[in-house]
Amino acid sequence: MFNEFFAQLPTVRDRAIVSTSVSSGARAAEMLSMRPCGVQVDTHTIEVIGKGRREYQPVRTSPDSLMWISLYLGDRPGGFGPADPLWLTLRGQPRPMTYWSLRQVLERANTALGTNITFHDLRHTYAYRLAADPTLLITDVQELMRHASLSTTQVYLRTRMENLVERLLAHYARPPAPPPRPAAGYDPADLAVLFGQDTVTGPDA
């Protein structure tokens, strides 16, 4: 669904916004706080004013999102200073985007697809992608999501039904493990008696 949604975005700016959001987990308000000077290609970070904060903090993002930001800055209307707001409107006189204009970036694609994707959904997608990576610890996900409490991060670790069914089918498809073989020097008959598996019958049993 995300790939279809991304394909509906008509401008480089819109693709830069959505790519950055889904690659960093940045909230809408945090996206609006971005400045050109906070885009650090060498460290794969952007700077945002996080929830409950007053100062800028670095946030990891993907090389793909940085590519879209670079394309956008190369064609950004009106030039810019390093501390200016990063995202500008495209119609009429360029001006800093508001929450409403940022939301319209998603609404155009939502209208085309009949979906209702929000920036919070993009943050959820980012979290689920992190949680699905077997090389990342839950504390890594907490740090990348910038959660103060680990219990908040655990909300994103709940198994989705399609993943549960897929793993269950894979479980049933695997052949059963072969029974263990006794080590050299042990009589299988003696081991059967020892573990209550003796099947010897008759008068001498």
Side-chain angles (χ1 to χ4, degrees):
M1 181 181 290
F2 174 79
N3 291 338
E4 293 181 25
F5 185 85
F6 194 78
Q8 291 292 328
L9 301 171
T11 68
V12 169
R13 184 207 62 182
D14 292 359
R15 293 190 173 199
I17 288 172
V18 171
S19 179
T20 301
S21 178
V22 82
S23 299
S24 66
R27 304 170 179 88
E30 293 172 340
M31 294 290 295
L32 293 175
S33 73
M34 289 179 62
R35 306 168 298 173
C37 64
V39 179
Q40 303 294 329
V41 176
D42 55 337
T43 58
H44 293 175
T45 58
I46 57 174
E47 289 184 351
V48 302
I49 297 179
K51 184 178 180 180
R53 291 175 174 263
R54 296 183 178 179
E55 70 281 350
Y56 281 91
Q57 65 177 131
V59 174
R60 296 284 180 181
T61 190
S62 69
D64 188 63
S65 69
L66 292 169
M67 177 201 71
W68 284 110
I69 293 175
S70 296
L71 291 174
Y72 162 68
L73 287 175
D75 196 35
R76 187 177 185 270
F80 59 89
D84 289 344
L86 179 63
W87 310 113
L88 297 183
T89 57
L90 299 180
R91 295 181 180 179
Q93 181 67 27
R95 59 189 185 280
M97 294 183 73
T98 63
Y99 178 78
W100 184 87
S101 57
L102 195 67
R103 182 177 175 81
Q104 289 303 111
V105 170
L106 305 185
E107 287 306 305
R108 284 187 285 270
N110 279 328
T111 299
L113 294 175
T115 53
N116 188 31
I117 293 175
T118 66
F119 277 98
H120 195 62
D121 293 325
L122 297 178
R123 181 171 167 81
H124 271 250
T125 298
Y126 173 67
Y128 280 123
R129 287 177 175 179
L130 295 178
D133 188 334
T135 66
L136 291 176
L137 303 174
I138 184 174
T139 49
D140 297 330
V141 179
Q142 178 190 10
E143 180 69 21
L144 291 168
M145 290 293 294
R146 293 169 284 125
H147 286 152
S149 171
L150 192 61
S151 61
T152 305
T153 308
Q154 289 174 323
V155 172
Y156 297 95
L157 303 183
R158 294 173 181 170
T159 301
R160 289 178 291 178
M161 182 56 66
E162 61 267 27
N163 294 340
L164 181 61
V165 171
E166 181 180 347
R167 289 200 291 268
L168 184 61
L169 292 175
H171 166 75
Y172 286 134
R174 285 193 294 268
R181 301 179 62 182
Y186 290 92
D187 187 334
D190 291 341
L191 291 176
V193 173
L194 178 63
F195 290 107
Q197 298 170 342
D198 183 21
T199 57
V200 178
T201 58
D204 296 329

